[in-house]
């Protein structure tokens, strides 16, 4: 994991103040790559590139950054190419000579040999910048599952890009403003729409996309997309559970083995839940001794849930079975103020999820133990219906979806009385707003945290139709729409939008705060496609989701873990009065002029500070205010530098 940033002149003229600006960007990304920093400025001073390195592969090798072997082509790389040894052998057959053992050099040579073709050969996560000085051409790229991020803006005949937004603001010669539509989407979904940020004209490269500058022209092209259809025939043949398990085990074994770091130590969560238990058990196939942890973030985790064991006790049962070095990481009884403050004022990307401070505290602990990598089990909940909201949505689908009993009466879902009846009948707790449609298809996603009802209270002329992208199938997958059942469509939406642009952004923001790289075997392309293709019967069983993985754990690992109900990681730190007081949330909202810049209703402050208002809405508002204030400060300071 590293940091990437740069400035490109679009007309070939020298970039103004390039040395000062490019060094500011590199310094702002120190936390992403504390092991080494490098800056390159072209001879004509029409391009500058930085790279901050967190040394994990070829960790002890010292090579110049950005990477080059001919002083003509330069690579700044953030991520990992997990199958780099196979790619290296492929390149050696083409008589390529290597001078390091790094995956960075492998990617560099792969780009020189293959260009932008055959990216599907790369098994990895990445955002990178590859520049040719003699051609004045630049390639920016982001991996298909969007585990890494790359932000950019085009202004004043310049393309400015970075792994984070603050370096762009520092290097920009323009004044910046908030994008109100992005703000509303962020308030509703905990993140901006794919490709957007809170800042006008600062964008995020979409997953599976390349941005290429050549011949004075910028083009953005989709180089890869998910292909769950490769598994349709397999599942249509009604395979035995034994055969499905074998396919799953082979893929997860391969993907886990590839992701295990060879030169640095790592931690992996072991929560007593399904996903982390499966991942730890597969790691155990290849590494008999490793470090696991349980993050204690609320008191409920100490309570018994099944077989007279608490979540903590269950985690120790599995740790003992796997012979891991297991420990408790306390994120509840520690000072949370600094992480809350940092998260709030650095939400330029639009991710205002309250889970970021939780993960940051974990990252801080893991870094203190001198680990550089966390093997993380994110993905199954999204791909296999693990969330309460998805389980409840399935119950509604079973009644009102096309072809179901009340298909012709789905218009009644918009009726208040009908909604009350269904809520009581199905015992709904999450899906009480009924903000979805079957025709055209729109689904509720787990990270839809703010209902339209509340947004209507605070926003003038709120247009709900402008902020539904996370519930819609991406047009690049329209050819699959008639081949997928509703649960498969939701999984594809989660895989192509939610995972890349909400959950992976949250993970990146939190863990890289303390220079910790996350590796996520469940988000390999092969497993994502396999899970998406699974019909609904593999996902839901009454009040439980992730049926396939629950059955797997029950039969292969531990029955009590399989019966463990879904619990969230962490707790809402803003629910704690001491945190609200230390952050001075009440006075911040009362005294800000932030809301006057946008079409909010006059009574918004009163509504936000009402005792009935959910604390997550208060946290979102507070984060927007603090980030807005920091943006203005950066723009003011920036003018004194140039």
């Amino acid at each position: 994991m590293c940091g990437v940033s740069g400035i490109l002149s679009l007309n070939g003229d020298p970039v103004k103040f390039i040395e000062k600006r490019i060094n500011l960007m590199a310094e702002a990304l120190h936390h992403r790559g504390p092991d080494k920093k490098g800056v390159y400025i072209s001879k004509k001073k029409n391009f500058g590139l930085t790279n901050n390195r967190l040394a994990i592969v070829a960790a002890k090798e010292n090579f110049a950054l950005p990477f080059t072997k001919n002083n003509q082509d330069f690579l700044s790389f953030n991520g990992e190419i997990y199958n780099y040894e196979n790619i290296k052998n492929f390149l050696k057959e083409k008589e390529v000579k290597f001078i390091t053992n790094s995956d960075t050099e492998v990617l560099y040579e792969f780009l020189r040999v293959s260009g932008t073709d055959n990216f599907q050969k790369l098994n990895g996560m990445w955002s990178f910048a590859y520049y040719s000085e003699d051609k004045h051409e630049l390639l920016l790229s982001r991996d298909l599952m969007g585990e890494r991020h790359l932000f950019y803006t085009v202004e004043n005949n310049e393309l400015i890009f970075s792994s984070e937004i603050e370096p762009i603001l520092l290097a920009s010669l323009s004044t910046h403003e908030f994008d109100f539509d992005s703000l509303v989407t962020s308030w509703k979904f905990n993140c901006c729409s794919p490709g957007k940020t809170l800042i006008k004209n600062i964008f995020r490269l979409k997953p599976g996309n390349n941005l290429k500058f050549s011949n004075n022209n910028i083009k953005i092209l989709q180089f890869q997309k998910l292909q769950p259809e490769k598994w349709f025939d397999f599942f249509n043949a009604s395979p035995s559970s034994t055969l499905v398990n074998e396919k799953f085990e082979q893929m997860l074994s391969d993907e886990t083995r590839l992701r295990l770091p060879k030169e640095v130590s790592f931690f992996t969560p072991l929560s007593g839940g399904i996903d982390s238990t499966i991942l730890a058990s597969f790691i155990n196939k290849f590494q008999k001794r490793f470090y696991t942890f349980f993050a204690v973030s609320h008191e409920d985790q100490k309570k018994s849930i099944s077989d007279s064991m608490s979540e903590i006790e269950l985690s120790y049962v599995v740790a003992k079975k796997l012979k891991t070095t297991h420990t408790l990481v306390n994120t509840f009884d520690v000072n949370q103020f600094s992480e809350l403050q940092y998260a709030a004022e650095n939400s330029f990307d639009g991710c205002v999820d309250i889970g970021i401070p939780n993960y940051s505290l974990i990252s801080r602990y893991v870094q203190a133990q001198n680990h550089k990598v966390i093997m993380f089990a994110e993905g199954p909940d999204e791909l296999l219906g693990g969330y309460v909201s998805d389980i409840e949505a399935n119950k509604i689908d079973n009644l009102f979806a096309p072809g179901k009993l009340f298909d012709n009466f789905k218009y009644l879902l918009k009726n208040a009385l009908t909604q009350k009846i269904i809520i009581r009948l199905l015992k709904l707790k999450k899906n009480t707003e009924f903000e979805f449609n079957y025709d055209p298809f729109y689904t509720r996603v787990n990270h839809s945290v703010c209902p339209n009802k509340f947004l209507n209270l605070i926003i003038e002329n709120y247009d709900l139709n402008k902020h539904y992208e996370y519930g819609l199938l991406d047009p690049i997958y329209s050819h699959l729409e008639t081949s997928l059942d509703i649960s498969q469509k939701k999984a594809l939406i989660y895989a192509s939008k939610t995972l890349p642009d909400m959950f992976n952004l949250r993970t990146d923001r939190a863990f890289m705060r303390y220079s910790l790289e996350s590796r996520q075997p469940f988000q390999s392309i092969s497993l994502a496609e396999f899970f998406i293709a699974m019909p609904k019967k593999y996902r839901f069983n009454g009040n439980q989701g992730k049926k396939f993985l629950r059955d797997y754990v029950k039969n292969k690992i531990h029955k009590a873990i399989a019966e463990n109900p879904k619990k969230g990681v962490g707790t809402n730190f803003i629910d704690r009065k001491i945190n609200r007081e230390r952050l001075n949330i009440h006075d911040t909202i009362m005294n800000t002029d932030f809301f006057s810049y946008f079409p909010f209703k006059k009574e918004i402050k009163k509504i936000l500070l009402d005792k009935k208002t959910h604390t997550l809405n208060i946290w979102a508002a507070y984060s927007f205010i603090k980030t807005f204030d920091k943006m203005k400060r950066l723009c003011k300071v920036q003018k004194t530098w140039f």
Side-chain angles (χ1 to χ4, degrees):
M1 190 82 70
C2 303
V4 172
S5 61
I7 307 173
L8 174 81
S9 169
L10 299 178
N11 60 10
D13 291 344
V15 173
K16 293 181 179 178
F17 317 113
I18 188 166
E19 291 90 352
K20 178 70 172 177
R21 296 165 69 191
I22 207 70
N23 278 289
L24 282 171
M25 297 181 85
E27 290 167 12
L29 293 178
H30 175 75
H31 58 285
R32 298 190 67 90
D35 294 328
K36 189 175 179 64
K37 177 183 75 174
V39 172
Y40 153 73
I41 296 175
S42 65
K43 297 182 184 71
K44 295 181 179 180
K45 295 191 175 182
N46 57 1
F47 179 70
L49 184 64
T50 80
N51 204 177
N52 301 72
R53 185 184 183 212
L54 180 65
I56 294 174
V57 177
K60 295 181 180 179
E61 294 189 30
N62 185 21
F63 46 83
L65 298 174
F67 189 87
T68 184
K69 291 169 75 172
N70 59 10
N71 290 316
Q72 286 292 324
D73 305 309
F74 296 84
L75 173 66
S76 181
F77 175 40
N78 170 27
E80 305 287 350
I81 305 301
Y82 298 124
N83 65 335
Y84 73 96
E85 291 178 336
N86 291 337
I87 300 295
K88 190 173 186 177
N89 291 332
F90 160 76
L91 292 168
K92 282 181 176 179
E93 291 176 0
K94 298 182 179 296
E95 300 185 349
V96 174
K97 305 297 183 183
F98 288 89
I99 59 175
T100 76
N101 294 304
S102 70
D103 59 335
T104 300
E105 184 183 8
V106 171
L107 177 59
Y108 175 88
E109 292 291 2
F110 181 84
L111 292 169
R112 293 185 68 198
V113 170
S114 300
T116 58
D117 296 329
N118 298 319
F119 271 26
Q120 68 273 12
K121 288 182 178 291
L122 301 176
N123 185 337
M125 56 175 182
W126 68 78
S127 64
F128 66 74
Y130 180 67
Y131 177 71
S132 171
E133 182 169 346
D134 59 340
K135 297 177 182 178
H136 193 51
E137 290 183 352
L138 175 68
L139 173 67
L140 304 180
S141 184
R142 184 181 177 204
D143 66 276
L144 179 59
M145 294 305 294
E147 290 187 62
R148 304 280 68 83
H149 307 269
L150 198 60
F151 303 92
Y152 66 94
T153 187
V154 176
E155 60 181 41
N156 304 320
N157 267 321
E158 294 177 353
L159 170 65
I160 310 174
F161 57 90
S162 181
S163 300
E164 296 180 5
I165 293 177
E166 183 171 338
I168 295 176
L169 293 172
L170 288 169
S172 170
L173 300 180
S174 300
T175 301
H176 292 275
E177 302 175 357
F178 262 32
D179 183 316
F180 183 68
D181 284 341
S182 289
L183 187 155
V184 176
T185 305
S186 175
W187 205 320
K188 182 170 182 61
F189 291 107
N190 268 344
C191 54
C192 300
S193 295
K196 298 289 188 69
T197 74
L198 284 182
I199 315 298
K200 281 185 180 179
N201 301 320
I202 296 183
F203 305 98
R204 177 167 38 162
L205 197 60
K206 289 186 177 181
N209 273 226
N210 287 336
L211 183 155
K212 186 173 184 180
F213 171 80
S214 63
N215 300 319
N216 299 319
N217 188 33
I218 293 176
K219 291 184 179 180
I220 298 178
L221 299 171
Q222 184 90 28
F223 66 80
Q224 191 177 11
K225 58 186 178 182
L226 293 163
Q227 296 179 300
E229 60 268 30
K230 66 177 62 171
W231 289 102
F232 286 176
D233 288 343
F234 174 79
F235 285 110
N236 287 339
S238 300
S240 67
S241 59
T242 300
L243 182 56
V244 177
N245 284 343
E246 287 175 357
K247 296 289 186 182
F248 166 69
E249 289 174 341
Q250 183 61 59
M251 282 185 285
L252 186 55
S253 292
D254 291 344
E255 300 295 352
T256 300
R257 176 182 54 80
L258 282 172
R259 283 161 177 76
L260 287 175
K262 298 176 181 177
E263 301 175 54
V264 301
S265 59
F266 67 91
F267 250 21
T268 188
L270 188 55
S271 67
I274 292 171
D275 306 339
S276 65
T277 297
I278 291 176
L279 179 56
S281 67
F282 274 74
I283 291 172
N284 186 241
K285 293 182 178 183
F286 308 103
Q287 194 149 331
K288 296 305 178 185
R289 294 287 183 181
F290 58 100
Y291 299 91
T292 58
F293 71 88
F294 184 102
V296 182
S297 56
H298 52 83
E299 291 295 321
D300 287 348
Q301 291 168 315
K302 300 175 183 178
K303 297 178 181 178
S304 298
I305 52 172
S306 56
D307 286 357
S308 300
M309 283 189 288
S310 68
E311 281 187 305
I312 293 175
E313 290 168 331
L314 272 175
S315 75
Y316 272 102
V317 167
V318 178
K320 184 177 180 180
K321 179 178 179 180
L322 300 179
K323 298 180 180 179
T324 73
T325 301
H326 194 56
T327 189
L328 300 182
V329 178
N330 190 343
T331 64
F332 188 71
D333 295 325
V334 298
N335 185 352
Q336 300 149 0
F337 171 72
S338 62
E339 301 309 325
L340 286 163
Q341 185 179 48
Y342 185 87
E345 65 181 19
N346 288 281
S347 299
F348 302 109
D349 51 35
C351 187
V352 293
D353 188 85
I354 194 62
I356 289 177
N358 278 286
Y359 285 172
S360 291
L361 288 166
I362 292 171
S363 176
R364 187 171 72 186
Y365 175 86
V366 174
Q367 184 207 49
Q369 308 308 307
N370 296 316
H371 300 291
K372 286 187 172 182
V373 172
I374 181 170
M375 295 290 289
F376 208 48
E378 195 112 270
D381 283 313
E382 292 77 18
L383 300 173
L384 291 175
Y387 293 112
V388 172
S389 58
D390 295 323
I391 296 166
E392 291 183 354
N394 178 61
K395 294 180 180 180
I396 299 171
D397 295 340
N398 288 338
L399 293 175
F400 291 95
K404 297 300 182 180
L405 182 62
F406 296 107
D407 178 8
N408 295 325
F409 300 95
K410 52 180 172 271
Y411 64 89
L412 292 174
L413 289 171
K414 302 301 179 183
N415 178 272
L417 178 59
T418 306
Q419 290 177 4
K420 289 181 180 179
I421 294 172
I422 294 173
I423 289 170
R424 178 168 293 186
L425 178 67
L426 300 181
K427 299 179 180 179
L428 304 182
K429 295 180 179 179
K430 294 285 187 180
N431 287 17
T432 57
E433 299 92 16
F434 296 88
E435 294 178 2
F436 55 86
N437 295 295
Y438 290 111
D439 187 18
F441 180 77
Y442 168 77
T443 184
R444 183 196 192 282
V445 289
N446 173 67
H447 57 109
S448 177
V449 294
C450 183
N452 290 333
K453 183 178 180 180
F454 182 81
L455 293 173
N456 267 316
L457 288 176
I458 62 173
I459 297 173
E460 293 284 359
N461 303 314
Y462 171 61
D463 183 357
L464 58 90
N465 293 314
K466 291 175 67 175
H467 308 285
Y468 269 44
E469 189 165 353
Y470 279 102
L472 298 170
L473 200 64
D474 193 298
I476 67 172
Y477 297 110
S478 59
H479 64 290
L480 294 176
E481 192 159 3
T482 58
S483 304
L484 301 171
D485 67 33
I486 287 178
S487 74
Q488 292 168 323
K489 287 181 183 179
K490 291 179 180 180
L492 183 52
I493 290 170
Y494 273 131
S496 59
K497 293 183 177 182
T498 288
L499 281 173
D501 289 326
M502 208 303 280
F503 289 112
N504 287 342
L505 182 57
R506 177 181 71 178
T507 299
D508 185 77
R509 275 261 304 278
F511 289 154
M512 285 311 296
R513 167 122 160 88
Y514 293 101
S515 311
L516 182 66
E517 175 177 287
S518 64
R519 297 186 174 189
Q520 307 185 93
F522 282 116
Q523 286 194 46
S524 65
I525 294 171
S526 61
L527 275 168
E529 291 171 339
F530 184 66
F531 286 154
I532 293 165
M534 283 184 163
K536 185 171 70 171
K537 68 179 183 178
Y538 289 91
R539 289 186 169 82
F540 302 110
N541 180 25
N543 291 320
Q544 291 184 325
K546 292 192 296 192
K547 180 181 183 299
F548 168 70
L549 293 185
R550 287 185 185 277
D551 289 346
Y552 183 86
V553 170
K554 181 179 180 180
N555 296 324
K556 303 266 187 173
I557 303 175
H558 200 291
K559 180 180 177 182
I561 294 169
E563 295 173 350
N564 188 357
K566 168 67 183 173
K567 289 189 180 289
V569 176
T571 188
N572 181 359
F573 291 153
I574 299 301
D575 280 341
R576 304 182 74 182
K577 184 178 179 181
I578 187 173
N579 285 330
R580 295 197 299 273
E581 290 176 347
R582 288 201 67 188
L583 291 168
N584 200 22
I585 287 180
H586 181 277
D587 289 349
T588 298
I589 291 174
M590 282 299 299
N591 298 327
T592 186
D593 64 349
F594 170 78
F595 300 110
S596 65
Y597 289 89
F598 308 103
F600 287 108
K601 292 182 179 179
K602 292 181 179 179
E603 59 269 28
I604 183 172
K605 293 183 180 180
K606 180 180 178 181
I607 292 170
L608 284 171
L609 296 174
D610 189 286
K611 291 182 179 180
K612 295 180 181 179
T613 298
H614 199 290
T615 51
L616 291 181
N617 283 317
I618 298 171
W619 170 250
Y622 179 78
S623 297
F624 297 138
I625 294 167
K626 300 302 287 187
T627 298
F628 185 76
D629 289 346
K630 184 172 181 179
M631 180 191 71
K632 290 194 295 183
R633 290 198 307 273
L634 289 174
C635 288
K636 284 181 180 179
V637 174
Q638 162 211 76
K639 292 177 182 177
T640 69
W641 289 332
F642 309 124

